[in-house]
Amino acid sequence: MSSVGRYYTWTNSHIHSRIERALVNPAWTNTWPHLEVIVIDPFFSDHSLLCITFEKHQGKDARPFRFLNHLANHGEFMNVVKSVWTEPERGPPMKKIWHKLKKMKQAMKLLNETEFPKVNMQIQNVRQLLGEVHEQMRDYTHDTELYAKEKDLKQSLEK
């Protein structure tokens, strides 16, 4: 399948290789001639993601909940978990767990919004900087200092 984006899909910052591929058969090529695989910048991984979109989705779906690691280090984290989890629920056991997880999701969102209001913007900024570094690294005459900058940005993004 033809690809768009990065040429190399794996790197250890010194060696670059194209090891990830998207394979299709003739039936796919005839059914979806417009398909391309998008090679996405790896951010803090050493492998690039491959993304194939079959059709454009017009609707707006609910965003999935993402637990951000910085919440676990917050001083109130265990108190919030304990208060939600010890709250009594009625119904079958699995339904109780489901309700508690839904309440936990809301409590974590509230904690994140009140205590870390700009963390998503910080993540977006670091991803943008990392994308710029990856763009500069595509040029094989790039400065070797970019490896250290990439490593620092990856650690910052992971944190």
Side-chain angles (χ1 to χ4, degrees):
M1 180 179 285
S2 64
S3 64
V4 178
R6 298 173 56 89
Y7 180 76
Y8 294 111
T9 61
W10 176 87
T11 182
N12 67 355
S13 295
H14 300 290
I15 299 170
H16 300 273
S17 180
R18 188 172 185 184
I19 59 175
E20 278 85 20
R21 307 263 180 165
L23 302 176
V24 293
N25 60 26
W28 276 45
T29 306
N30 292 333
T31 307
W32 300 292
H34 64 281
L35 283 185
E36 295 177 320
V37 61
I38 302 166
V39 183
I40 300 172
D41 285 330
F43 297 114
F44 56 85
S45 175
D46 54 356
H47 290 270
S48 294
L49 296 172
L50 301 182
C51 179
I52 303 170
T53 304
F54 290 88
E55 61 185 50
K56 292 186 179 183
H57 182 65
Q58 299 297 328
K60 184 178 179 184
D61 293 334
R63 291 185 346 206
F65 173 70
R66 292 195 177 112
F67 178 80
L68 302 173
N69 290 334
H70 67 274
L71 290 175
N73 296 329
H74 190 274
E76 286 298 308
F77 175 75
M78 288 307 294
N79 292 335
V80 171
V81 171
K82 186 182 256 185
S83 69
V84 170
W85 211 254
T86 57
E87 202 173 293
E89 284 290 332
R90 296 175 58 143
M94 284 307 291
K95 194 164 189 171
K96 289 180 188 179
I97 291 172
W98 182 75
H99 280 288
K100 287 183 182 200
L101 288 173
K102 278 189 77 81
K103 288 179 182 178
M104 184 67 66
K105 174 183 173 179
Q106 294 306 318
M108 290 296 114
K109 279 186 173 182
L110 182 63
L111 180 65
N112 189 46
E113 289 169 5
T114 57
E115 298 294 325
F116 306 99
K118 296 182 182 178
V119 74
N120 287 333
M121 192 166 56
Q122 291 171 349
I123 290 171
Q124 190 175 12
N125 289 342
V126 172
R127 281 186 175 162
Q128 183 179 356
L129 290 172
L130 192 55
E132 290 170 6
V133 168
H134 286 151
E135 188 72 32
Q136 293 171 4
M137 291 176 81
R138 289 182 190 165
D139 178 17
Y140 299 108
T141 62
H142 64 268
D143 190 7
T144 56
E145 291 177 7
L146 286 177
Y147 294 125
K149 189 173 182 180
E150 178 194 33
K151 184 178 178 182
D152 291 342
L153 287 170
K154 284 181 177 181
Q155 287 174 343
S156 177
L157 184 60
E158 188 173 349
K159 183 178 179 198

